[in-house]
Amino acid sequence: MVILGKTMGIKKPFTEVIRANIGDAQAMGQQPITFLRQVMALCTYPNLLDSPSFPEDAKKRARRILQACGGNSLGSYSASQGVNCIREDVAAYITRRDGGVPADPDNIYLTTGASDGISTILKILVSGGGKSRTGVLIPIPQYPLYSAVISELDAVQVNYYLDEENCWALNVNELRRAVREAKEHCDPKVLCIINPGNPTGQVQSRKCIEDVIHFAWEEKLFLLADEVYQDNVYSPGCRFHSFKKVLHEMGPEYSSNVELASFHSTSKGYMGECGYRGGYMEVINLHPEIKGQLVKLLSVRLCPPVSGQAAMDIVVNPPVPGEESFEQFRREKESVLGDLAKKAKLTEDLFNQVPGVRCNPLQGAMYAFPRIFLPARAVEAAQAHTMAPDMFYCMKLLEETGICVVPGSGFGQREGTYHFRMTILPPVEKLRTVLQKVKEFHIKFLEKYA
């Protein structure tokens, strides 16, 4: 393999590759939540239900899940929409989260991670050809799942740009511009929102969410709310507001008419259980005939992994005060989220000390998306290698430091701006080392190409 003309096998000036390119918490050293793993162990090997090594509340959760499975086994198929009692638990969780706003288990679909739900709902919504092809509005920068699924379904990607100068805020006037221009060549039908943002880490205000819902109502757009980072909010003054709750509180004119699918997952938050591929989507105000087609489409893949469904159940039905496992669960959850909040602030502060780097506050999620100001000679060198300038920068960073990050061009960015995405998941001291190495590399890079 050759990287920028250098053959692999040559001794590099680093001892390990640090994969700061992906939000895989446990791969970066985060420890699993004990209670979740206890219930999963019991569900997977029910003989352990007789063991005194497991707390009673974990056994109670495991028995409930197993009793709802065919043959009392995770190894059986479930209903296409998911195990009934798990959907009930998800609905109860949403109702608690949203301060009593009701959720119907019949509107809950368990999925193979959030990604499966997003691609499934887009399949249902995309149609037409020529100027009547479905347009899907996505934020730029975006999580590349969206552009990939839009391309696969032969829909039209409609970009709306987040405002970097205003902490990656979403401006409804920008949505209006995007829809107006899109109507000339497609039929905009779907609006995707990622909140908290990936890769940008912003947390939307309630006012912003109200404005977006009003805009969707005006334009008759189907809203997709990707809320997998809902537990990952760090900045003082920021708070997660679900689209479902705000929609309900805006009154029946909106709550009975705006179609909304919202998504959650076991992979992020404090859980970091990416490998279980657990997730759900709640879909409201879907026309009954379309709902029938959605269930039919889901039945083609039989069911999501039942182990992932069980993991999702533990996320939405964790220990409560008075239960044996509650104190340990609370400590572990607070420790993970407290560490992430420290790392978010550390990353923002250190990046902003580097000349030629500017980083917005990391309000939520688990990534930094700093802007890098590249000299003209670096841009020319990248062009000579037929590379995007930020890809050239990231490859040089990997070669010289062993730090792997993702160029901003992989997520989309305004023309003439350059960024990279880096996860904040490494342990604090390792993250500090990574940031110091990036700083040293960046200063040398600027000197070389000045």
Side-chain angles (χ1 to χ4, degrees):
M1 180 182 175
V2 174
I3 295 182
L4 293 187
K6 295 185 182 179
T7 308
M8 295 296 285
I10 297 172
K11 187 160 176 58
K12 298 289 180 186
F14 49 84
T15 54
E16 64 171 330
V17 172
I18 298 170
R19 301 178 196 281
N21 58 319
I22 188 166
D24 189 348
Q26 293 183 23
M28 301 301 283
Q30 182 178 310
Q31 293 305 298
I33 298 294
T34 302
F35 184 78
L36 190 146
R37 286 302 182 88
Q38 285 173 331
V39 179
M40 291 306 299
L42 293 162
C43 286
T44 305
Y45 190 59
N47 290 9
L48 293 172
L49 285 162
D50 297 325
S51 166
S53 302
F54 289 81
E56 280 307 312
D57 49 358
K59 291 179 180 180
K60 181 180 166 189
R61 299 295 196 288
R63 286 191 187 101
R64 182 166 186 269
I65 292 166
L66 289 171
Q67 283 162 11
C69 294
N72 293 339
S73 172
L74 290 191
S76 59
Y77 289 126
S78 75
S80 299
Q81 220 172 314
V83 174
N84 283 340
C85 80
I86 299 177
R87 286 164 50 218
E88 288 165 6
D89 287 348
V90 169
Y93 161 81
I94 292 169
T95 303
R96 285 194 310 275
R97 180 197 70 187
D98 292 346
V101 177
D104 182 349
D106 197 42
N107 292 334
I108 306 296
Y109 303 81
L110 300 179
T111 57
T112 309
S115 306
D116 170 51
I118 292 162
S119 55
T120 299
I121 203 77
L122 282 171
K123 275 181 193 168
I124 283 287
L125 298 174
V126 166
S127 64
K131 281 195 170 184
S132 68
R133 270 202 305 166
T134 298
V136 181
L137 283 94
I138 62 170
I140 298 295
Q142 54 109 18
Y143 176 51
L145 165 74
Y146 291 93
S147 51
V149 174
I150 290 165
S151 176
E152 181 189 356
L153 298 175
D154 199 28
V156 178
Q157 177 176 320
V158 179
N159 295 340
Y160 67 88
Y161 289 88
L162 301 174
D163 182 0
E164 184 171 11
E165 304 306 314
N166 192 20
C167 203
W168 298 112
L170 194 168
N171 188 313
V172 171
N173 288 330
E174 170 61 9
L175 291 180
R176 286 204 176 88
R177 176 209 62 78
V179 167
R180 185 177 64 249
E181 292 178 10
K183 282 179 177 175
E184 294 173 13
H185 59 274
C186 70
D187 180 11
K189 284 185 188 170
V190 185
L191 170 55
C192 302
I193 311 286
I194 309 173
N195 178 49
N198 174 12
T200 43
Q202 84 286 3
V203 178
Q204 288 180 1
S205 69
R206 186 196 163 87
K207 171 72 168 66
C208 174
I209 293 170
E210 284 181 2
D211 290 346
V212 169
I213 290 171
H214 178 73
F215 177 76
W217 173 80
E218 261 182 344
E219 294 288 340
K220 296 184 170 51
L221 297 172
F222 195 112
L223 272 174
L224 299 192
D226 180 341
E227 298 175 334
V228 303
Y229 295 100
Q230 59 190 256
D231 287 306
N232 301 107
V233 176
Y234 316 122
S235 288
C238 285
R239 192 174 150 217
F240 171 74
H241 301 276
S242 79
F243 268 76
K244 163 82 178 295
K245 181 173 193 267
V246 176
L247 178 61
H248 178 85
E249 291 173 351
M250 285 174 72
E253 190 172 11
Y254 295 95
S255 61
S256 302
N257 292 302
V258 175
E259 295 167 303
L260 169 70
S262 48
F263 307 90
H264 196 17
S265 158
T266 61
S267 301
K268 308 303 176 186
Y270 58 90
M271 307 79 68
E273 294 285 5
C274 302
Y276 274 117
R277 308 309 300 128
Y280 73 74
M281 62 179 173
E282 181 186 24
V283 187
I284 58 174
N285 294 328
L286 196 61
H287 188 282
E289 284 182 30
I290 306 295
K291 194 170 183 176
Q293 294 301 316
L294 175 58
V295 173
K296 203 182 287 185
L297 180 61
L298 290 170
S299 69
V300 173
R301 55 95 159 111
L302 297 176
C303 67
V306 180
S307 55
Q309 295 183 48
M312 191 76 246
D313 187 74
I314 305 152
V315 172
V316 298
N317 187 21
V320 294
E323 287 189 310
E324 186 180 346
S325 301
F326 176 72
E327 281 305 320
Q328 182 182 13
F329 170 78
R330 183 185 59 77
R331 277 197 313 274
E332 290 177 356
K333 177 180 176 179
E334 288 178 2
S335 171
V336 171
L337 294 176
D339 270 0
L340 282 168
K342 282 182 209 152
K343 291 188 280 192
K345 189 74 180 89
L346 173 72
T347 304
E348 176 199 339
D349 289 348
L350 289 187
F351 271 143
N352 284 325
Q353 291 171 17
V354 183
V357 176
R358 192 174 74 211
C359 186
N360 271 316
L362 279 61
Q363 297 174 330
M366 45 185 65
Y367 312 100
F369 196 67
R371 182 171 176 183
I372 47 177
F373 295 85
L374 302 181
R377 282 186 60 218
V379 175
E380 287 162 13
Q383 288 164 346
H385 284 92
T386 61
M387 279 184 173
D390 47 11
M391 179 66 174
F392 177 76
Y393 177 94
C394 291
M395 291 300 283
K396 287 285 191 188
L397 176 68
L398 175 61
E399 280 187 355
E400 293 179 26
T401 67
I403 297 166
C404 182
V405 297
V406 189
S409 46
F411 301 92
Q413 54 198 348
R414 282 197 182 273
E415 189 72 30
T417 68
Y418 307 110
H419 303 77
F420 64 83
R421 188 190 81 164
M422 187 190 93
T423 182
I424 61 168
L425 288 169
V428 173
E429 285 316 308
K430 186 171 230 181
L431 180 64
R432 202 185 294 277
T433 302
V434 167
L435 293 166
Q436 185 58 36
K437 283 185 173 183
V438 172
K439 177 181 180 179
E440 290 163 7
F441 164 82
H442 188 82
I443 290 167
K444 281 188 203 160
F445 186 90
L446 291 185
E447 285 169 0
K448 181 173 180 180
Y449 292 101

